[in-house]
Amino acid sequence: QVQLVESGGGLVQAGGSLRLSCAASGIIFRINAMGWYRQAPGKQREFVARITSDGSTNYAYSVKGRFTISRDGAKNTVYLQMNSLTPDDTAVYYCTVERPPTTYWGQGTQVSVSS
């Protein structure tokens, strides 16, 4: 089992920044990738960003150029730096860990962006 603890969410004005963190513990070897998804009210959960064990990254088109995902292997922690936030970024953000054949999910952290 893998346990995930997220932090860093909150309320910010449009144009502001937040940094989300997600620390993994438990069975943390053979992790292929870590990432972030989000779910806005009334919408389906959507992919935000992903980083593999070798450092390769990919982003949703809607956040590319504004969000940066990074990973500290020694701390088993993944970060999501979010800049130039807009109200459309308001959502619950979920951390994920891909350890085949299972993907583990965090409990979610709320990000709210006011206009």
Side-chain angles (χ1 to χ4, degrees), residues 1-78:
Q1 290 286 346
V2 176
Q3 293 81 43
L4 302 174
V5 178
E6 298 146 334
S7 60
L11 175 63
V12 65
Q13 289 188 330
S17 299
L18 282 175
R19 188 194 195 206
L20 305 182
S21 300
C22 174
S25 62
I27 305 175
I28 56 176
F29 57 89
R30 291 196 290 113
I31 290 177
N32 276 9
M34 302 179 76
W36 294 92
Y37 282 70
R38 67 186 182 186
Q39 187 166 17
K43 294 186 178 181
Q44 289 190 329
R45 192 171 297 187
E46 64 176 5
F47 168 78
V48 176
R50 179 177 182 262
I51 184 167
T52 65
S53 58
D54 65 359
S56 298
T57 59
N58 59 302
Y59 297 90
Y61 179 80
S62 60
V63 307
K64 194 172 292 185
R66 299 187 300 121
F67 291 11
T68 302
I69 189 170
S70 60
R71 180 175 175 177
D72 184 333
K75 296 181 180 179
N76 297 305
T77 300
V78 63

Side-chain angles (χ1 to χ4, degrees), residues 59-112:
Y59 297 90
Y61 179 80
S62 60
V63 307
K64 194 172 292 185
R66 299 187 300 121
F67 291 11
T68 302
I69 189 170
S70 60
R71 180 175 175 177
D72 184 333
K75 296 181 180 179
N76 297 305
T77 300
V78 63
Y79 305 96
L80 187 67
Q81 177 66 45
M82 304 184 295
N83 299 329
S84 302
L85 286 161
T86 75
D88 287 341
D89 296 314
T90 294
V92 177
Y93 284 70
Y94 297 91
C95 170
T96 64
V97 163
E98 298 172 26
R99 184 178 180 274
T102 304
T103 295
Y104 298 88
W105 293 79
Q107 80 286 356
T109 185
Q110 177 69 46
V111 171
S112 299

